[in-house]
Amino acid sequence: MDLTPIEKATTSKTFCIYPWIHQYVGPGGEVKPCCIYEPDGPGLGNIKKAPLKEVWNNNLTKQMRLDMLNGVEIPGCSMCNVRVGVTRVHRDDTNDVWFEKNKDTVSQTLDDGTLPEHKLKYIDARFNNLCNLKCRTCSPHFSTGWHEDYEKMRKPDSVDLYPKTLLIPGNTDSQLLDEIMPHLSEVERIYFAGGEPLMQKEHYAVLEELIRIKHTGTTEKPLILQYSTNFTSLTLGKHNVLDYWNKFARVLVNASLDGSHERAEYWRKGTNWEKIVQNRIDLKKACPRVIFNIGFTLSWVNAFNLLDLHKEWVEKYYININSMTVNILDHPGMYSLKYIPNWKKKKIEEAFLKHIEWIDGVKRYSEGPKLQAKERFMNAIKFMYDVDSDDNSDVFLSKGFLSTTTELDKLRNENFWDVFPEHADMKEFIYGSNSL
């Protein structure tokens, strides 16, 4: 007897609910099942060539659904695949949240992978790549701020990967907005990212439409607004986002803060740390119901500073002890915890374990939130040791850290080793003992 789609989904190790409820649209128009699918690839389609409704049941999307139901490992899902057995996998979290309440949708899957109704329960639409920062781990694809440095660094005879500064996903400025508007009345979660979403006029157009149709979130008809924002500014022209957030039942703000103080200003160029702190104070006062979280992209560069930021903001009551998500960086490899020498990994591990002891000692939190926080740091340690890089500098240097850092420091009149003195041992490792 053939298994039903639900029976297949519950037994498949590669099943992910996203292709049944969600479409991600990147700033270049690329359509994917989620934002971490095939990071540098074209995805399942592009709205410049076919609208979202057509991509929903094109051959690539239909085959993806069938493969996920049948336990076939999908290469484009590598960000999840490589974490299986190492850390918590993103698709597991996704299925925990969405699968039970969307079983009816999965059951409607036809034999060829078609899903008859195009209904987005979860929307992630990147209206453009407009951004005021040029973070070291980013690129011109997701930040207009990066383009000037990219042009200066690009060799004249090389292929220009980013010929345009501002990317828009559609053939017109309004195409993506026009395509998602019909889904707003039934959507349950909208993820705003960028670029920088609080700089996008389309973001405010979506909020205003949700308010107009009175879909701001209730028990019977839930809605979550979720943000990944650099948190540098809460206003755009006449718009103050705090005025909007107070009109919605549930808003989750994930501030992308990959460091603090001068380290934040170096790593996420364009950051004003004093302004970040003031924005947190203003948000806490104006919108006490908004759930605030730090999304920290962890590399070896900012590993020690992660601990400083977490402790400082918990002690100042800016965040709860479990309100920091540790997003472990895979790419670019030159910043990944995986490829640094083992002796450096050991130092980071010791610092993390000491921090976990500090978490244990914070008396105002119960064991549940503290356990959540500790697991995130333990997962990072586990991930770090997933690759045995021994103590050979060739593995690390082949990732390009030295050349890229030197070139960017020169362009930006900065010095990595001055800002991150905790990595003096890495300087000696790279240059030799005479470097100190």
Side-chain angles (χ1 to χ4, degrees):
M1 180 183 293
D2 291 339
L3 297 177
T4 67
I6 296 297
E7 290 169 332
K8 288 181 177 181
T10 53
T11 57
S12 170
K13 293 182 179 180
T14 63
F15 175 79
C16 176
I17 189 66
Y18 273 157
W20 282 262
I21 62 167
H22 172 60
Q23 284 176 305
Y24 159 87
V25 184
E30 61 277 14
V31 183
K32 302 180 180 183
C34 76
C35 64
I36 60 173
Y37 177 84
E38 201 178 39
D40 299 318
L44 304 176
N46 194 298
I47 66 168
K48 291 179 178 178
K49 298 179 179 179
L52 286 174
K53 190 171 184 178
E54 287 186 22
V55 178
W56 185 250
N57 279 316
N58 70 10
N59 290 336
L60 290 174
T61 306
K62 290 189 294 184
Q63 188 60 51
M64 171 175 284
R65 293 192 188 110
L66 294 178
D67 287 344
M68 287 182 170
L69 289 175
N70 291 310
V72 178
E73 187 173 283
I74 298 169
C77 299
S78 61
M79 297 287 278
C80 283
N81 297 339
V82 298
R83 282 170 164 73
V84 174
V86 180
T87 65
R88 180 73 175 170
V89 178
H90 180 61
R91 63 172 167 246
D92 294 337
D93 295 330
T94 300
N95 291 335
D96 287 349
V97 173
W98 291 99
F99 179 60
E100 273 304 315
K101 60 185 178 181
N102 287 287
K103 280 185 173 180
D104 285 347
T105 301
V106 176
S107 69
Q108 295 168 22
T109 311
L110 303 183
D111 289 345
D112 68 345
T114 294
L115 199 62
E117 189 173 12
H118 182 217
K119 181 184 289 188
L120 299 180
K121 302 287 187 68
Y122 178 19
I123 294 172
D124 179 356
R126 313 293 173 95
F127 294 107
N128 54 55
N129 66 333
L130 187 64
C131 184
N132 56 331
L133 301 188
K134 42 185 177 181
C135 307
R136 293 266 173 155
T137 55
C138 197
S139 74
H141 186 74
F142 290 104
S143 173
T144 52
W146 239 106
H147 202 268
E148 183 180 356
D149 285 352
Y150 163 75
E151 285 295 341
K152 291 177 180 176
M153 294 173 70
R154 185 174 69 85
K155 293 178 174 55
D157 57 346
S158 66
V159 176
D160 190 353
L161 299 175
Y162 308 104
K164 294 182 179 179
T165 304
L166 180 66
L167 301 177
I168 60 170
N171 293 307
T172 65
D173 289 346
S174 66
Q175 181 184 345
L176 179 55
L177 185 63
D178 293 341
E179 288 200 35
I180 68 169
M181 280 295 191
H183 295 275
L184 294 186
S185 62
E186 299 296 328
V187 71
E188 295 180 19
R189 183 185 293 253
I190 305 176
Y191 181 45
F192 293 106
E196 169 48 41
L198 301 187
M199 293 177 64
Q200 298 171 351
K201 67 182 188 301
E202 294 87 353
H203 154 254
Y204 289 97
V206 170
L207 298 190
E208 289 174 352
E209 177 63 11
L210 290 167
I211 293 168
R212 187 191 71 79
I213 64 176
K214 296 182 171 56
H215 183 25
T216 56
T218 63
T219 303
E220 296 76 23
K221 195 173 182 181
L223 173 66
I224 297 173
L225 301 183
Q226 182 176 350
Y227 289 81
S228 180
T229 168
N230 63 35
F231 208 58
T232 58
S233 179
L234 303 177
T235 60
L236 178 67
K238 66 178 182 179
H239 303 293
N240 185 321
V241 75
L242 303 183
D243 296 335
Y244 289 86
W245 286 345
N246 272 326
K247 299 180 188 294
F248 290 86
R250 195 167 184 206
V251 179
L252 311 179
V253 175
N254 204 52
S256 297
L257 306 179
D258 301 341
S260 61
H261 303 280
E262 71 278 4
R263 289 171 176 80
E265 293 177 348
Y266 173 97
W267 199 237
R268 297 176 64 83
K269 183 70 172 177
T271 296
N272 179 324
W273 186 249
E274 289 185 2
K275 180 63 173 172
I276 295 290
V277 173
Q278 188 59 53
N279 285 343
R280 177 62 189 120
I281 293 169
D282 292 346
L283 171 59
K284 194 172 182 181
K285 181 179 179 180
C287 306
R289 290 187 297 108
V290 167
I291 299 170
F292 182 85
N293 186 69
I294 291 176
F296 192 103
T297 299
L298 175 63
S299 65
W300 68 266
V301 172
N302 58 13
F304 297 115
N305 193 211
L306 162 65
L307 313 181
D308 298 334
L309 174 58
H310 186 226
K311 185 176 182 180
E312 178 187 354
W313 276 42
V314 168
E315 291 180 342
K316 289 185 174 181
Y317 291 80
Y318 291 163
I319 60 171
N320 294 320
I321 203 159
N322 59 337
S323 295
M324 177 178 276
T325 302
V326 180
N327 303 310
I328 308 171
L329 180 143
D330 279 284
H331 305 285
M334 60 185 165
Y335 301 133
S336 175
L337 288 163
K338 286 183 177 181
Y339 302 111
I340 56 175
N342 288 339
W343 56 261
K344 184 67 173 183
K345 291 180 181 180
K346 187 65 178 175
K347 290 184 178 182
I348 293 173
E349 178 187 10
E350 289 171 355
F352 275 38
L353 292 176
K354 186 176 181 180
H355 188 72
I356 288 171
E357 289 180 9
W358 170 80
I359 292 172
D360 275 326
V362 180
K363 298 189 182 304
R364 74 174 189 265
Y365 290 99
S366 63
E367 286 307 308
K370 289 197 286 189
L371 180 60
Q372 251 188 331
K374 290 189 293 183
E375 283 179 346
R376 290 164 185 167
F377 292 99
M378 289 305 299
N379 280 339
I381 294 172
K382 194 174 181 182
F383 173 88
M384 181 168 64
Y385 285 112
D386 187 44
V387 170
D388 182 4
S389 51
D390 58 49
D391 295 331
N392 189 338
S393 62
D394 291 344
V395 176
F396 173 69
L397 292 176
S398 67
K399 302 296 178 182
F401 172 80
L402 181 57
S403 58
T404 302
T405 301
T406 302
E407 192 168 7
L408 274 175
D409 278 356
K410 185 176 180 180
L411 276 176
R412 299 178 180 182
N413 194 29
E414 296 174 329
N415 188 301
F416 174 87
W417 309 107
D418 289 346
V419 179
F420 294 92
E422 62 268 34
H423 295 312
D425 51 4
M426 288 295 284
K427 185 177 183 181
E428 181 178 2
F429 173 68
I430 294 170
Y431 291 102
S433 58
N434 293 332
S435 65
L436 301 180

